[in-house]
């Protein structure tokens, strides 16, 4: 299983297929090289995804901006209560016991000092100390919707972090009666393919889901939630990705059952070496990564009790050779955030 950019609608590619252009794989050679690199950072079963940052000059900012859709505070840690998947358990894997946050009644504001100027300065300091890379970071406090942006805020190619958007769109189609998790896609049903696409970052599953939705539908869905997204470019800014996660977690995108299921797939994934590796016990992480060539991304929700944050890091480096060094930057940024906020 490999990560990739979304294929254009058409015949299902093979396991090593990537973005299709007249049926010709774009990154087959890169995928073979990438497997060796992953061993250097200790990840098992890694999936790779194409992503190339469009921003060329890092502009360091640390201000509070209103998110596209202000987040409703989560009602406690979603890992604390049970939930059940919305698909047929006999055909689709059962989600772990993870409850979606309730969107009906706001919880009390997050305890602690929240995102402070001191944290802003620390994040900017880490980015400045690693200026050989392009780094874009967004941190959204889900207790009040405030969004802090750092580094490059131009769109990057989103790589497989965009699979979360594709999954949310398919669930939306299910909820509006236009699709079903029991629909046959390939050898399995749609519910199974979504799980494989998110938890294992499977490319064939992504291809099947994208083909079932259609690029026009996905683009329209993104626009409806305040995100500019063209599946042909697969480009998102760190703040747009953070907005998708914030809306997902606070129940603005899907009903509670589907939110629960999708979040459950964003735990214990096939690549836990980035943000999750630097988060201490007691803090729950839901995330989706993207990785290939000179691109390395991770998009997460961090939550503990009434404190919940969307935390996204997008990076562009030299090539696969600096992935271990950039992984350390992810850890530095994550440690700064969790030490300040939890």
């Amino acid at each position: 299983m490999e990560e990739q950019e979304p294929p254009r609608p058409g015949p299902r590619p093979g396991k090593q297929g990537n973005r299709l252009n007249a049926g010709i794989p774009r990154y087959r050679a890169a995928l073979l090289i990438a497997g060796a690199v992953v061993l250097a950072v200790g990840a098992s079963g890694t999936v790779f995804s194409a992503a190339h940052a469009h921003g060329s000059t890092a502009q360091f900012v640390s201000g509070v901006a209103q998110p596209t859709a202000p987040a409703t505070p989560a009602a406690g840690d979603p890992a604390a209560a049970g939930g059940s998947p919305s698909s047929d358990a006999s055909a689709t894997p059962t989600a772990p016991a993870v409850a979606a946050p309730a969107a009906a009644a706001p919880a009390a504001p997050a305890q602690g000092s929240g995102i402070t100027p001191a944290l802003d300065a620390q994040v900017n300091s880490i980015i400045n100390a690693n200026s050989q890379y392009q780094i874009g970071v967004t941190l959204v406090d889900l207790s009040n919707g405030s969004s802090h942006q750092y580094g490059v805020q131009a769109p990057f190619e989103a790589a497989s972090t965009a699979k979360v958007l594709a999954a949310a769109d398919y669930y939306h189609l299910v909820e509006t009666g236009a699709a079903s998790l029991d629909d046959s896609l390939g050898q399995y049903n749609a519910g199974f393919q979504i799980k494989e696409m998110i938890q294992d970052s499977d490319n064939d599953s992504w291809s099947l889901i994208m083909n079932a939705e259609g690029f026009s539908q996905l683009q329209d869905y993104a626009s409806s939630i305040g995100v500019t997204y063209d599946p042909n470019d697969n480009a998102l800014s760190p703040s747009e990705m953070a907005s998708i996660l914030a809306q997902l977690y606070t129940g603005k995108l899907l009903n509670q059952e589907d939110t629960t299921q999708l979040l459950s797939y964003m735990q214990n994934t096939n690549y836990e070496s980035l943000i999750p590796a630097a988060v201490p016990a007691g803090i729950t992480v839901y995330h989706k990564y993207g990785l290939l060539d000179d691109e390395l991304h991770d998009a997460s929700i961090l939550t503990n009790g009434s404190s919940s944050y969307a935390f996204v890091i997008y990076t562009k480096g030299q090539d696969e050779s600096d992935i271990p060094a950039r992984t350390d930057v992810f850890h530095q940024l994550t440690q700064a955030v969790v030490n300040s906020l939890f």
Side-chain angles (χ1 to χ4, degrees):
M1 291 180 285
E2 314 78 25
E3 201 175 58
Q4 65 184 21
E5 293 189 37
R8 303 177 188 277
R12 176 181 179 181
K15 281 285 185 178
Q16 295 189 13
N18 283 283
R19 176 185 288 177
L20 302 183
N21 184 0
I24 301 175
R26 180 179 177 188
Y27 295 113
R28 187 182 302 270
L31 291 171
L32 297 175
I33 296 171
V37 176
V38 172
L39 295 177
V41 296
S44 62
T46 303
V47 194
F48 289 89
S49 167
H52 299 279
H54 294 281
S56 59
T57 303
Q59 297 180 346
F60 299 100
V61 296
S62 58
V64 179
Q66 292 300 317
T68 302
T72 301
D77 186 349
S84 60
S86 58
S87 59
D88 184 350
S90 65
T92 305
T94 301
V98 179
Q111 297 177 354
S113 57
I115 306 171
T116 64
L119 176 57
D120 289 338
Q122 189 173 5
V123 171
N124 278 329
S125 177
I126 294 169
I127 293 174
N128 278 310
N130 294 278
S131 59
Q132 68 271 36
Y133 313 124
Q134 294 183 44
I135 303 173
V137 176
T138 295
L139 184 60
V140 180
D141 186 340
L142 300 185
S143 72
N144 56 29
S146 65
S147 178
H148 291 228
Q149 297 89 35
Y150 316 87
V152 178
Q153 286 300 309
F156 291 68
E157 283 193 36
S160 280
T161 62
K163 289 176 180 176
V164 176
L165 179 61
D169 181 31
Y170 196 92
Y171 278 113
H172 170 73
L173 293 174
V174 171
E175 292 180 8
T176 57
S180 170
L181 292 178
D182 294 323
D183 287 346
S184 179
L185 293 182
Q187 296 181 353
Y188 304 97
N189 66 15
F192 177 87
Q193 300 297 357
I194 289 173
K195 179 180 186 295
E196 290 298 295
M197 176 178 71
I198 297 298
Q199 195 162 58
D200 291 330
S201 209
D202 187 272
N203 290 336
D204 289 348
S205 297
W206 195 11
S207 173
L208 290 165
I209 292 295
M210 292 284 284
N211 287 341
E213 294 168 331
F215 277 21
S216 178
Q217 159 61 31
L218 180 55
Q219 189 170 13
D220 290 346
Y221 176 73
S223 179
S224 76
I225 65 172
V227 172
T228 300
Y229 180 73
D230 181 349
N232 291 290
D233 296 332
N234 193 33
L236 292 169
S237 69
S239 293
E240 287 175 319
M241 189 65 226
S243 175
I244 293 167
L245 292 179
Q247 292 182 74
L248 171 66
Y249 185 77
T250 57
K252 294 182 180 299
L253 300 187
L254 307 172
N255 66 35
Q256 180 167 328
E257 196 171 34
D258 292 335
T259 301
T260 295
Q261 189 172 68
L262 181 50
L263 287 173
S264 77
Y265 298 159
M266 297 168 68
Q267 292 184 291
N268 304 313
T269 73
N270 67 317
Y271 197 81
E272 297 288 290
S273 299
L274 300 174
I275 289 174
V279 175
I283 300 173
T284 300
V285 182
Y286 306 100
H287 80 113
K288 184 70 193 79
Y289 78 98
L291 171 59
L292 181 68
D293 295 334
D294 53 1
E295 307 293 335
L296 187 63
H297 309 326
D298 208 0
S300 71
I301 292 287
L302 307 178
T303 182
N304 182 25
S306 61
S307 298
S308 300
Y309 298 86
F311 177 45
V312 174
I313 305 173
Y314 277 3
T315 74
K316 178 181 174 67
Q318 184 65 35
D319 51 37
E320 296 102 327
S321 67
D322 63 23
I323 287 176
R326 270 187 287 158
T327 297
D328 184 63
V329 176
F330 277 80
H331 295 170
Q332 292 177 44
L333 289 167
T334 302
Q335 288 164 1
V337 166
V338 297
N339 288 344
S340 176
L341 299 178
F342 295 97

